[in-house]
Amino acid sequence: MNRGWPILISVLLIIGCAPTPLVTATPSPSQTSAISATTPLPSPSPTVIKPSETPTSAAAAERQRYPAPNGQWVALVDPAVGSLVLEEEGGRRLEVFGAGSGVLGVRWSVDSSHLAIVRRDPAASPTVAVAEIWRVTFVAGEPQSPTVLLKPAPDAPFAGAQYLLGQWSPNHTHLLFWSGPLSASIAADGLPLWCLDVQSGKVAALSDAALVNLTYQSWSPQGQAVVFTDGGYRSVLVGKRLARYDVQSDQVSTLVPAEAVVPGQVAWSPTGAWIAFAGVPADQTGEMYADYMGWDNPAIQARRLYLLDVGSGTYRRLNGEEAFQDAPRWSPDGHFLYYIQMEGEQVQVMQAALSRGEARPVADCRAPRPPSAGYYGQIDWDAVFEACAVLR
C-alpha cells in the first residue's frame, strides 16, 4: 500500500465549468529529452536532470520523502530551498530542480511512470504568485527531463498560490488538483477541485469546494470518469454528496445526494462494475454531530459500507452488520473488498467476497481503535492496512 496520509492538511503549504485553455501550452513529446548526466542544470528554470551530490545528514533530514509505488525511485523534496532530487533504489541521485526552484510537492501515478510536481516562484509576492504544475515521465524506469503541464495567467479561474495534487488517472491523461491561497485553515474546509487534461492542456471544474483528501476520490479503471466526495466544510459528517465527473462529456453528476447518505472514502472497483463508499445515513447525522470526534458520536457510529452498481446507478448496504465500517479497498482483481470494521476497542480488517455475499475477518489484521475518529471524521487507516501481510 502506498496511498499516503489521506488528509493532506498537514502538507497544505506543500502544494459546473467548461474546459479552459491553458495560457502556456504543454510541450510536445519531441521537446522532452532524455537525462543528460553531464549538461549543467540551468537556473531558475531547469530543463535537464543531472547527478546530485549526496546530501549531508542535516540536509537529508529536511527533505520530505515520496516513494514511487513500485519502489524504484524516491522523490526527495526540500521545501525550505525548493529543490527536488530523485533517489534510485540502488542509491543513485539525480537532481531534477535545484535550490531556488520553488518546488512545493509531488504526486506519483499509480504505476510510477509519471511524477507531477508543483512549483512556485519563491521570489514572487505571495499575493500575486501563481503555482505551476510540471511532470517528469519515466521511460523504462529512467526519468526524462521535466516539462510544464500547467502555467496559468494570474487571472485564470484555476490559478492559485498553491496547488494540492490529487489522483492521476490510470491512463495518465488527466490529473486532479485543488487550488487556493496559502492558508491551511481555508484549505481545511475544502478547496475548488479541478481536472487537468495533460494532453490538450485544458482544465475543467469539478467542485467549488471538496475536501483535500486522496481517499475521497477514485478513478474508473480506464480513466474515463472519476467519482469523488463533493462538498465544503471540514467535517465529513455533513453537507457531502457522492459525485461523478465524466471526461468525455465534461459533466459532473450526482450519484448519491447528501439528503440520502453523507459519503466519505470511496473506491472504484478494478472491474469497473462497482463503486464502494463509506457513508452515514443522512437521517442519522446533522449539525449537532458534525464537530465532535468521540467514538460515542452516534453519527460516527452510523458509518457503514455501501456498494453502488455503476450500470444501474442503484446502491445498497454492503451487508447487515451493525458496526462502524470505513475505508473500502479492492483486491487487484476486484473479487474482494477489504474494509475496516469496529469490534469493541479494536478495529478489524474485513474481506468481503462479492460473489458469495459474505465477509470474514482477515487473520492478523487487527489493531487498537484510534483515540478519536480522526480529523473531523477523516481517519487515516493506512497503518492498519499496511500491517496486513495479505494486502501487501
Side-chain angles (χ1 to χ4, degrees):
M1 294 281 177
N2 186 28
R3 296 168 64 92
W5 175 245
I7 306 164
L8 302 184
I9 302 304
S10 61
V11 293
L12 288 173
L13 298 183
I14 295 178
I15 45 152
C17 170
T20 306
L22 294 179
V23 175
T24 301
T26 303
S28 66
S30 62
Q31 293 174 278
T32 305
S33 59
I35 290 177
S36 171
T38 58
T39 305
L41 186 68
S43 180
S45 299
T47 56
V48 295
I49 300 176
K50 71 174 184 180
S52 172
E53 295 181 358
T54 301
T56 64
S57 57
E62 296 297 323
R63 290 177 169 174
Q64 297 168 342
R65 299 175 60 86
Y66 299 89
N70 65 6
Q72 182 178 355
W73 293 92
V74 176
L76 304 174
V77 176
D78 187 341
V81 300
S83 64
L84 170 62
V85 171
L86 290 173
E87 181 181 73
E88 199 174 18
E89 188 176 18
R92 180 170 58 128
R93 283 187 172 89
L94 298 172
E95 185 178 82
V96 182
F97 291 108
S101 298
V103 174
L104 300 175
V106 300
R107 178 72 58 212
W108 289 98
S109 63
V110 174
D111 66 355
S112 306
S113 65
H114 294 262
L115 179 68
I117 305 155
V118 173
R119 297 180 61 198
R120 182 172 168 274
D121 184 356
S125 167
T127 59
V128 298
V130 175
E132 304 170 356
I133 299 179
W134 290 63
R135 173 178 60 178
V136 170
T137 302
F138 292 74
V139 178
E142 285 295 305
Q144 309 300 293
S145 297
T147 56
V148 66
L149 293 180
L150 180 66
K151 190 174 184 178
D155 60 350
F158 46 84
Q162 71 167 340
Y163 291 139
L164 304 176
L165 296 171
Q167 301 279 13
W168 278 97
S169 65
N171 55 4
H172 320 119
T173 61
H174 293 80
L175 175 66
L176 303 181
F177 69 95
W178 295 267
S179 66
L182 291 171
S183 169
S185 178
I186 292 176
D189 283 320
L191 293 172
L193 180 63
W194 309 87
C195 183
L196 169 64
D197 185 328
V198 302
Q199 295 177 319
S200 68
K202 295 181 178 179
V203 176
L206 273 60
S207 171
D208 292 334
L211 293 179
V212 183
N213 190 323
L214 294 178
T215 65
Y216 285 25
Q217 52 187 227
S218 182
W219 283 94
S220 65
Q222 304 303 319
Q224 299 168 337
V226 63
V227 61
F228 62 99
T229 292
D230 183 28
Y233 187 62
R234 63 194 65 186
S235 175
V236 75
L237 298 176
V238 293
K240 307 294 183 291
R241 65 166 180 156
L242 193 66
R244 167 177 171 154
Y245 171 69
D246 286 282
V247 170
Q248 185 173 4
S249 66
D250 187 37
Q251 296 295 315
V252 176
S253 57
T254 297
L255 296 179
V256 180
E259 295 77 17
V261 179
V262 181
Q265 295 194 30
V266 60
W268 205 314
S269 74
T271 65
W274 299 97
I275 294 173
F277 66 97
V280 180
D283 60 2
Q284 298 185 47
T285 187
E287 297 294 337
M288 71 288 288
Y289 301 126
D291 300 335
Y292 176 52
M293 294 302 107
W295 287 111
D296 56 343
N297 184 335
I300 292 174
Q301 284 296 322
R303 184 174 295 171
R304 299 290 185 269
L305 259 290
Y306 293 81
L307 280 178
L308 185 145
D309 185 316
V310 175
S312 67
T314 60
Y315 61 93
R316 58 174 173 80
R317 282 269 306 275
L318 173 66
N319 53 42
E321 289 290 333
E322 294 304 325
F324 172 94
Q325 298 171 335
D326 201 10
R329 302 187 180 187
W330 294 94
S331 63
D333 59 12
H335 293 164
F336 298 100
L337 178 66
Y338 296 93
Y339 60 96
I340 295 289
Q341 183 165 296
M342 197 77 67
E343 296 184 358
E345 299 295 317
Q346 302 285 310
V347 293
Q348 171 69 55
V349 176
M350 303 293 292
Q351 181 196 67
L354 300 188
S355 60
R356 298 191 299 273
E358 62 183 27
R360 65 175 183 83
V362 179
D364 302 320
C365 293
R366 194 177 179 88
R369 186 179 69 183
S372 69
Y375 186 83
Y376 288 85
Q378 302 175 62
I379 310 172
D380 175 24
W381 297 111
D382 278 356
V384 179
F385 282 106
E386 288 168 0
C388 297
V390 69
L391 302 181
R392 295 184 199 137

